[in-house]
Amino acid sequence: MNANTPRPHPADTDRSTSELLSATARDLPSGRHEFHKERLMAQIHDLQRDERTATPAPGRKRRLRLPRPAVTLPLTAVAVAAAVVAGVWQNGGGAGVRDSGVATGPALTTKIGTATTKGMPQLLDRISLAAADTSHPDVAPGQFIYIESKSADSFIKTVGDKSSLASHALHTRQVWESADGTEGWLIDPSVNDSPEGETLSLPDEQGNTPEATLNAPSFDYLAKLTTDPDELLAKIYKETEGMGNTPDQQAFTTIGDLLGESYPPADLYPALFKAAAKIPGVVVVDDAVDAAGRHGIAVARLDETSGEREEWIFDRKTHVFLGERTVQVRKGTGTDALITPGTVTYTSAIMKRAVVDEMKQTPSQTG
């Protein structure tokens, strides 16, 4: 799920941050620019990648890590991130300093698990069957999807003329969204200045309500998608054309986004796994750990361009989706060489996913 944004030219930071933020606000619907900021701050190293080409795409409303978001970001958002990053790190940022409400520390690392194609089709078949058997109530009008997760990430930190690896600490994120995607709320210390969070409701300040897409889906949108795996995968390839590093990696990333901070309807959920089984290069990693420390088996794919492997982690016995992570498995060049193999560039864990009756209500508060 990489943003694939180009490295900002130093001249881009000459404009004031306020001017850049103003430009971004005009380009993105209300609430969406905060997600872009979240993604960009969470994945600062993506901005430092050389030789990348940016293809402007519609704003996403989901965790634009977005590791990772699989979609490229508006150029104004890239410029804003460059200014923000310069202000944070070149003013003495370092371990223990809080950035966007999340403490920073040393890079996250892991043992790189062995990948194999052996047993991959069978594993995805079992995951599909488990998904079909899972209780998955529909979302009625007036109800909200609630997703609580934990996440953390590693990135390249630059102070003066020195760069090093650092991480944003593990933190909790809570999101509420209506079935049609027009009402929502977010509580995330990496995005929100206030512990109470902020609204994500539409329409935006211009009175526009953006249409849902694969990269910014609502429950109602997902409910209308085909459940035929071949047709579904063809739609994913078509709608994500030109995004990401390769069509296959982008298709894998798009499905991964839907498994995380999304709520696929009961019929669509198993179809996503069947579609993933048809993507070339998908492998099994026997042991992977989510952000909550839970071990499981992973369905994964290596991005040949970035050298990162995206891993979807499932419970080994129940095959329930636990979370995901992105692990650097090949050493990069230039500044990216700092991101050594074994670095966890992003990790998340789904802690709760439920349907609730009111905005900001949690499952424990339901009657």
Side-chain angles (χ1 to χ4, degrees), residues 131-357:
D133 290 339
T134 301
S135 176
H136 206 86
D138 284 339
V139 187
Q143 290 187 312
F144 293 84
I145 299 159
Y146 171 77
I147 300 175
E148 180 180 322
S149 61
K150 292 183 180 296
S151 64
D153 64 279
S154 299
F155 58 91
I156 293 177
K157 177 186 70 174
T158 299
V159 180
D161 60 352
K162 294 184 178 180
S163 296
S164 61
L165 274 183
S167 69
H168 287 117
L170 185 69
H171 59 278
T172 297
R173 173 183 173 93
Q174 296 171 283
V175 176
W176 290 261
E177 185 180 82
S178 61
D180 63 4
T182 62
E183 295 181 79
W185 194 267
L186 170 68
I187 300 176
D188 184 337
S190 72
V191 180
N192 310 137
D193 292 331
S194 169
E196 296 180 359
E198 66 184 68
T199 182
L200 299 174
S201 297
L202 299 172
D204 62 20
E205 57 269 29
Q206 283 80 40
N208 301 315
T209 301
E211 293 185 5
T213 67
L214 276 171
N215 286 317
S218 65
F219 177 83
D220 290 348
Y221 172 86
L222 295 176
K224 296 177 182 178
L225 291 180
T226 177
T227 57
D228 179 277
D230 292 309
E231 294 178 3
L232 179 60
L233 188 58
K235 179 178 178 64
I236 291 172
Y237 274 108
K238 181 179 180 180
E239 293 201 7
T240 61
E241 185 177 0
M243 299 179 187
N245 289 325
T246 66
D248 291 334
Q249 186 62 34
Q250 185 58 49
F252 187 81
T253 290
T254 298
I255 294 175
D257 281 346
L258 296 178
L259 301 180
E261 197 164 280
S262 180
Y263 188 79
D267 291 342
L268 180 65
Y269 203 42
L272 290 170
F273 298 115
K274 294 177 181 178
K278 300 176 181 293
I279 300 175
V282 177
V283 297
V284 174
V285 177
D286 187 59
D287 184 51
V289 187
D290 72 3
R294 299 174 299 193
H295 285 257
I297 191 168
V299 175
R301 193 179 191 283
L302 174 67
D303 186 330
E304 294 286 353
T305 302
S306 68
E308 293 179 326
R309 188 170 69 196
E310 183 176 339
E311 302 176 349
W312 308 339
I313 306 168
F314 300 85
D315 184 275
R316 190 177 300 277
K317 293 182 179 180
T318 66
H319 298 107
V320 170
F321 178 75
L322 300 177
E324 58 187 311
R325 69 178 183 178
T326 304
V327 179
Q328 193 75 29
V329 298
R330 294 182 181 176
K331 189 172 183 178
T333 59
T335 304
D336 280 354
L338 290 172
I339 309 175
T340 56
T343 301
V344 178
T345 56
Y346 177 80
T347 179
S348 71
I350 299 298
M351 308 309 296
K352 295 179 183 178
R353 194 192 314 252
V355 176
V356 295
D357 295 327

Side-chain angles (χ1 to χ4, degrees), residues 87-165:
V88 170
W89 296 123
Q90 296 189 19
N91 285 331
V97 174
R98 296 184 70 82
D99 168 29
S100 297
V102 178
T104 60
L108 308 173
T109 60
T110 188
K111 179 180 179 181
I112 299 175
T114 302
T116 178
T117 57
K118 184 178 180 180
M120 188 276 293
Q122 294 84 352
L123 174 61
L124 279 169
D125 280 344
R126 291 194 293 271
I127 291 172
S128 298
L129 290 172
D133 290 339
T134 301
S135 176
H136 206 86
D138 284 339
V139 187
Q143 290 187 312
F144 293 84
I145 299 159
Y146 171 77
I147 300 175
E148 180 180 322
S149 61
K150 292 183 180 296
S151 64
D153 64 279
S154 299
F155 58 91
I156 293 177
K157 177 186 70 174
T158 299
V159 180
D161 60 352
K162 294 184 178 180
S163 296
S164 61
L165 274 183

Side-chain angles (χ1 to χ4, degrees), residues 9-148:
H9 189 277
D12 292 337
T13 62
D14 289 343
R15 295 172 60 191
S16 70
T17 302
S18 60
E19 290 176 325
L20 293 169
L21 287 171
S22 177
T24 303
R26 289 195 299 272
D27 289 346
L28 301 175
S30 176
R32 299 299 198 265
H33 57 278
E34 289 297 336
F35 279 92
H36 288 306
K37 182 181 75 174
E38 170 205 4
R39 159 58 169 154
L40 289 164
M41 291 305 298
Q43 294 293 320
I44 294 174
H45 74 270
D46 279 345
L47 294 174
Q48 299 174 319
R49 293 187 187 278
D50 294 318
E51 308 298 328
R52 292 287 182 88
T53 300
T55 304
R60 293 185 62 182
K61 64 180 177 179
R62 303 204 182 280
R63 60 188 193 297
L64 292 156
R65 347 183 201 48
L66 244 152
R68 292 184 316 126
V71 345
T72 55
L73 304 180
L75 295 180
T76 49
V78 174
V80 170
V84 172
V85 170
V88 170
W89 296 123
Q90 296 189 19
N91 285 331
V97 174
R98 296 184 70 82
D99 168 29
S100 297
V102 178
T104 60
L108 308 173
T109 60
T110 188
K111 179 180 179 181
I112 299 175
T114 302
T116 178
T117 57
K118 184 178 180 180
M120 188 276 293
Q122 294 84 352
L123 174 61
L124 279 169
D125 280 344
R126 291 194 293 271
I127 291 172
S128 298
L129 290 172
D133 290 339
T134 301
S135 176
H136 206 86
D138 284 339
V139 187
Q143 290 187 312
F144 293 84
I145 299 159
Y146 171 77
I147 300 175
E148 180 180 322

